[in-house]
Amino acid sequence: MVLLFISGFHRPQGWQRLLAEELPDLDFRVWADETGDPADIDFALVWDPPMGELARYPNLKAIFSLAAGSDHLLKDPALPEVPLIRMVDPALISGMNEFVIHHVLHFHRRFDVFEERQRRREWKELPAADTACRRVGVMGLGAIGSAVAGKLGGLGFAVAGWSRSAKEIGDVESFDGEDALIPFLNRTEILICLLPLTPATEGIINKETLAALPEGAYVINCARGGHLVEDDLLAALDSGRLAGAALDVFRAEPLPREHPFWRHPKVVVTPHIASLTVPRTAIPHIVENIRRIENGQPPTNQVSRERGY
Ligand code: GLV
């Protein structure tokens, strides 16, 4: 069995070592130097491969995504017709929980305002923040979005979720389908985007949807840069309608040095680190699926090409 690792971002060493412990017969090759004969390759473990690259392997049995999102694969028109398997990793979920909770608490308790006041050496309090009345909204209730919504509910926030189909998650108020988007936004003071990027969600945070948020709302985007129309967000921040944003993902990554987000007083920028796959916790799922495929069983957690996630 041969697995080809393709990523310009993830380091192969940890994956190689831990996969060898579980599957000693697996020949782990790192693209491009170690690829060898393309006909040897059974499995690919990849992040953002060059367009057309995966079509070069005639005996490929499955493609494993190194990321939760599959847009980096589905954008390739030459993607071979083999099962595409999304990353399922408990560390991806806990990482996202931490990232979102950090920013929600930051905005809810107005630490953005206090940081500004400290710079002016201004000793001035604000009225108490009422957690149960703070309306937080999560767009996208997949494995990660549902976990985040549940955790925020556990902290006592008034949480709602918006997704394609209705979901039941504890006390989370469910909004589903296109018609429910504006009502969901109307009640959301802190908006968190955890949607998959598909043609239907591209540019979903735009002038019109931002205008549906209440005055003084915050936006946290930790899904994909393509969800946000960046100029529309800048306009809403600059006009004072929105109070702030935490952005981990951007249309162009790395974020160009001249981009206004870098120096915007209301924007927190992080370099696409909201949550990262951890080999130790991700490998059991990959190993199980390699075994299933080798035993002629269908793999779990396949991406639907039709839905786009
Ligand atoms: C990272 O962006 C991921 O999709 O896991």
Side-chain angles (χ1 to χ4, degrees):
M1 274 184 308
V2 183
L3 179 141
L4 183 64
F5 182 92
I6 310 180
S7 173
F9 174 74
H10 306 79
R11 277 178 295 181
Q13 293 81 4
W15 296 94
Q16 179 158 25
R17 185 170 48 80
L18 292 164
L19 277 169
E21 283 174 15
E22 295 295 323
L23 299 169
D25 295 337
L26 188 75
D27 178 357
F28 184 101
R29 300 185 190 171
V30 181
W31 183 81
D33 291 355
E34 301 171 2
T35 304
D37 182 353
D40 293 347
I41 308 299
D42 297 296
F43 301 105
L45 177 58
V46 301
W47 163 252
D48 206 13
M51 289 277 198
E53 180 60 30
L54 291 166
R56 293 185 50 238
Y57 305 97
N59 298 318
L60 204 57
K61 295 177 188 159
I63 300 166
F64 290 89
S65 171
L66 276 161
S70 347
D71 48 301
H72 64 112
L73 296 169
L74 294 170
K75 71 181 181 196
D76 183 351
L79 195 67
E81 289 291 327
V82 297
L84 281 186
I85 300 166
R86 77 171 64 80
M87 178 52 71
V88 174
D89 173 12
L92 262 181
I93 295 180
S94 54
M96 194 58 86
N97 281 335
E98 291 162 5
F99 182 91
V100 172
I101 289 168
H102 169 90
H103 286 293
V104 167
L105 292 177
H106 183 82
F107 293 143
H108 166 61
R109 296 295 309 270
R110 308 302 308 269
F111 291 120
D112 52 338
V113 173
F114 291 116
E115 279 172 2
E116 178 60 35
R117 289 185 182 173
Q118 179 176 350
R119 277 194 283 277
R120 295 199 302 266
R121 298 186 225 180
E122 189 180 359
W123 180 278
K124 194 171 161 206
E125 56 293 319
L126 282 169
D130 186 344
T131 313
C133 292
R134 175 71 72 198
R135 288 168 288 133
V136 177
V138 180
M139 297 171 96
L141 296 173
I144 298 180
S146 318
V148 166
K151 286 277 178 207
L152 292 168
L155 287 173
F157 290 104
V159 184
W162 179 76
S163 54
R164 220 169 68 131
S165 52
K167 298 272 160 63
E168 261 191 47
I169 309 160
D171 291 336
V172 175
E173 189 183 353
S174 173
F175 290 78
D176 61 277
E178 225 169 289
D179 293 348
L181 179 58
I182 297 297
F184 161 79
L185 295 170
N186 286 161
R187 53 74 65 202
T188 292
E189 296 169 299
I190 303 179
L191 176 69
I192 299 139
C193 179
L194 280 167
L195 287 163
L197 184 63
T198 68
T201 64
E202 147 74 34
I204 193 164
I205 309 175
N206 55 39
K207 199 170 163 187
E208 189 195 335
T209 49
L210 289 170
L213 293 170
E215 186 92 25
Y218 291 93
V219 173
I220 301 173
N221 188 16
C222 36
R224 287 290 181 263
H227 289 120
L228 174 68
V229 180
E230 296 181 344
D231 286 343
D232 291 356
L233 178 71
L234 283 167
L237 291 167
D238 291 340
S239 73
R241 269 214 79 250
L242 289 189
L247 306 175
D248 185 59
V249 287
F250 304 89
R251 293 259 163 184
E253 295 181 8
L255 185 63
R257 284 185 64 80
E258 62 285 0
H259 199 290
F261 284 154
W262 278 117
R263 296 177 61 96
H264 199 289
K266 292 181 173 178
V267 177
V268 181
V269 169
T270 47
H272 201 144
I273 48 72
S275 88
L276 302 173
T277 313
V278 172
R280 183 182 61 78
T281 48
I283 272 174
H285 169 248
I286 297 175
V287 169
E288 190 203 316
N289 265 333
I290 289 182
R291 291 204 175 114
R292 288 178 71 93
I293 294 167
E294 291 298 292
N295 292 330
Q297 293 168 281
T300 57
N301 292 299
Q302 287 195 49
V303 173
S304 153
R305 291 172 197 240
E306 205 179 308
R307 284 190 318 188
Y309 58 92

